[in-house]
Amino acid sequence: MLRAMDLNTVYQSALSVDGFIGHASYLLLILSMLMTRMWLLRVFAIGSGLLSISYSLMISDFVSATWEVIFVAVNLGQLALQAYRNRMARFTPEERLFRETVVPLLEPAQVRRLLDLAQSRAVEPGVTLIQQGNLASHMLFILEGEVTVSVHAAVVGSCGAGALSGEISVLTGMPATATIISSRPTRYLAFEREALRRLMRREPEIEHAIDQCFRTDMRQKLAAANLALADAGIRMPGTSFGGVPLQQ
């Protein structure tokens, strides 16, 4: 009889108003762990903390309430700091082109950290920027000018302002599958391979954004390369562009 009464008390507590508030706080905490954007994670965590404070006060658990207040305050502080960093981030017109083209979903402060890795460079026509078969030392973002893309000495396309080059080799660690040569005076941003990979390991959101751009860019390059090879009547079994076999 005592055991039945205990179970009944547990069920009543779980289905009470304060019980539902406690359940909701844990649900929001679980949902926060599923968020891929840090600011969303913190918003859900703050909501969870506020409900947990209410629940702790309802059951007179002041120790838990105190720590939940600290938890909420820390997350609010981090959101405020991120908002301040976003507000302070400034971009040149060319940097805005990079942001809008490559990482449009990142917070301004994250884009600023990414751009701080870049070196602005300028070359004359005929300069080899990336050599097929070698590991690319930098990911390139073309600001102005034009480069040609060649696979086994066959020109398969060209890239102008707003295009990425060398990202496949830098992100996968594989040798470059195409040669990139400037065909006009060209300016570009160069992101050193190891520095970029370290930043991506530290900040998964940046890694995810660049990976998404990489996949989209690779599909476009594959399509352009296939068309160029088909127009030239070139058949190269086993040749790949970006690590993916070209269509025959």
Side-chain angles (χ1 to χ4, degrees):
M1 178 65 70
L2 181 60
R3 182 180 181 84
M5 291 179 62
D6 289 342
L7 288 174
N8 186 52
T9 301
V10 169
Y11 290 140
Q12 288 180 347
S13 176
L15 298 177
S16 64
V17 173
D18 52 347
F20 277 117
I21 292 176
H23 297 321
S25 70
Y26 280 107
L27 178 61
L28 286 180
L29 186 61
I30 292 171
L31 289 175
S32 74
M33 296 299 104
L34 300 177
M35 298 297 105
T36 57
R37 303 289 296 276
M38 182 57 69
W39 71 270
L40 272 177
L41 184 154
R42 295 194 183 282
V43 167
F44 275 88
I46 289 169
S48 171
L50 291 174
L51 287 177
S52 187
I53 291 170
S54 299
Y55 176 72
S56 297
L57 292 176
M58 285 179 177
I59 63 174
S60 300
D61 184 355
F62 300 109
V63 172
S64 295
T66 299
W67 283 106
E68 290 296 342
V69 168
I70 295 172
F71 174 77
V72 169
V74 168
N75 278 280
L76 283 172
Q78 288 296 317
L79 279 179
L81 181 60
Q82 184 66 28
Y84 171 76
R85 288 172 174 168
N86 286 338
R87 187 173 180 178
M88 295 301 294
R90 297 290 184 270
F91 304 100
T92 66
E94 291 176 340
E95 290 175 334
R96 283 197 293 271
L97 174 64
F98 173 84
R99 180 188 177 190
E100 293 166 1
T101 304
V102 181
V103 286
L105 298 181
L106 285 183
E107 297 289 326
Q110 293 173 314
V111 180
R112 183 69 266 162
R113 287 194 291 275
L114 180 57
L115 283 168
D116 285 343
L117 298 179
Q119 294 179 325
S120 181
R121 297 179 178 178
V123 293
E124 295 300 315
V127 176
T128 299
L129 304 178
I130 297 174
Q131 181 65 52
Q132 182 179 2
N134 295 340
L135 184 63
S137 61
H138 292 76
M139 180 179 78
L140 314 180
F141 179 75
I142 308 302
L143 297 172
E144 184 181 6
E146 186 178 63
V147 298
T148 57
V149 182
S150 303
V151 177
H152 295 294
V155 175
V156 297
S158 62
C159 299
L164 282 175
S165 293
E167 77 283 6
I168 297 172
S169 178
V170 167
L171 298 180
T172 65
M174 298 170 57
T177 53
T179 295
I180 309 297
I181 301 175
S182 58
S183 54
R184 290 172 19 198
T186 300
R187 293 191 304 109
Y188 60 93
L189 295 176
F191 297 81
E192 198 274 326
R193 180 182 64 245
E194 292 305 320
L196 179 60
R197 291 170 72 92
R198 283 195 299 270
L199 178 63
M200 291 168 61
R201 285 194 294 269
R202 289 198 307 270
E203 301 201 34
E205 286 187 56
I206 293 179
E207 180 180 21
H208 178 71
I210 293 177
D211 185 63
Q212 286 294 105
C213 179
F214 155 66
R215 294 177 186 277
T216 300
D217 193 60
M218 184 175 70
R219 287 195 295 268
Q220 294 172 346
K221 287 179 177 178
L222 279 170
N226 289 341
L227 288 173
L229 290 172
D231 290 342
I234 299 173
R235 296 173 58 88
M236 295 185 295
T239 297
S240 64
F241 192 83
V244 179
L246 293 170
Q247 301 297 318
Q248 298 294 313

